[in-house]
Amino acid sequence: MDDKEIEAIKLHVAGATVRHTPPFDDLKSFKNDFELSRDFLDKWVIPFFMNIGHFSGHLDTKWIDSLKRIKCEITPEIIEQNLGDFNWRTRQTGAYFSALTNQTQFIDIIGTHLLKSEVSYAGGAYCEVFASFNLPKCIDYLNLYLDYYLTKPDLWFDQKDAMEAIMYLDKINSTNNIDRHRSNWIQFIKNKPNWPEEITTDNLEKRLQVIETVKKYAC
C-alpha cells in the first residue's frame, strides 16, 4: 500500500467520504498543527460523539447528567482543539461543547466547517448548535449553506438539518427565511424518495432542550 492509498483511507475514516469542490475556497478552515493525544480523545470525544444529534423519544437524564458533570471543565482550548481536528467525531463534539457553554466566539470556525463540508456527519451538529445560538451570523451561515447545497442534488449532505434549523429559527424569531429555500428544496429531494418534503422541527426542539438544560446548569 503506497502513501496515497494510506492517506485516502485516513480521509475516509475522518469522514471525508465525498470529494467535492464548493465555492468557498477563500474560507480557511481552522486546523490543528498537532495530533490529539489518546488521553484527550478518551476524555473529551469518545464518551460523547455517538450521542450528539440523536433523540430516542424522551429526554435522556443519563446523557444530560453526563454533560453536566463535564460542563464546568470545558475550556475554550478544549473546544478549539476538537474543532481543529480533521475528523467528524471531534469537530461535532467541539461544536456541541461550544453550545453547552454558550461560547459564541467559535461561530465563524463552525460556519466555515459547515460551508466547506470537508467531513461527513458533523454538519447536523453544526446546524443544531446554530439553532441554539440564534444569532444573525448563524442564520447567515445556514442561508449560505442552503443557497449552495440545495442546488447540488447529488450531494446528500446536511441540507435537511439546515432546513430544520432555519425553520426553527423562523418560528422563534417570527421571520420567514424558509421561503427563500422552499423551491430549491423541492427540486433537491426529487431524487431522494426517502427524504420527506415536509420540514418539521419536533426532534430538533427536543434535542435543543438537552442543550438548554445543560446550558442553564450553574458551575
Side-chain angles (χ1 to χ4, degrees), residues 73-198:
E73 297 182 59
I74 298 172
T75 64
E77 291 75 23
I78 288 168
I79 294 171
E80 188 175 85
Q81 288 178 52
N82 265 309
L83 288 173
D85 191 52
F86 192 81
N87 189 294
W88 68 272
R89 301 162 185 82
T90 44
R91 285 190 174 186
Q92 74 164 13
T93 304
Y96 198 72
F97 283 171
S98 74
L100 296 181
T101 54
N102 201 34
Q103 297 195 50
T104 58
Q105 69 268 32
F106 294 104
I107 286 174
D108 285 327
I109 291 177
I110 297 168
T112 297
H113 285 344
L114 175 67
L115 291 178
K116 293 179 79 73
S117 290
E118 296 168 317
V119 296
S120 302
Y121 311 118
Y126 302 154
C127 295
E128 185 174 328
V129 168
F130 280 167
S132 174
F133 283 150
N134 186 21
L135 291 174
K137 187 177 284 189
C138 300
I139 297 169
D140 289 343
Y141 276 119
L142 290 167
N143 278 323
L144 282 171
Y145 179 87
L146 290 168
D147 283 343
Y148 176 71
Y149 285 99
L150 284 181
T151 67
K152 302 296 177 182
D154 292 333
L155 298 181
W156 299 45
F157 286 0
D158 304 289
Q159 291 90 337
K160 181 174 176 288
D161 297 287
M163 288 287 284
E164 289 172 355
I166 281 289
M167 177 170 278
Y168 168 78
L169 292 169
D170 277 345
K171 179 179 178 180
I172 64 173
N173 295 329
S174 299
T175 53
N176 200 26
N177 286 291
I178 196 74
D179 276 356
R180 169 173 168 174
H181 307 293
R182 285 190 189 278
S183 60
N184 281 344
W185 171 253
I186 297 303
Q187 292 299 314
F188 175 77
I189 64 172
K190 280 187 174 180
N191 67 332
K192 303 171 184 64
N194 295 321
W195 287 46
E197 179 178 329
E198 182 182 2

Side-chain angles (χ1 to χ4, degrees), residues 38-51:
R38 185 66 199 187
D39 287 344
F40 182 95
L41 296 173
D42 285 343
K43 180 169 184 178
W44 294 113
V45 183
I46 292 173
F48 307 106
F49 77 91
M50 286 298 291
N51 286 313

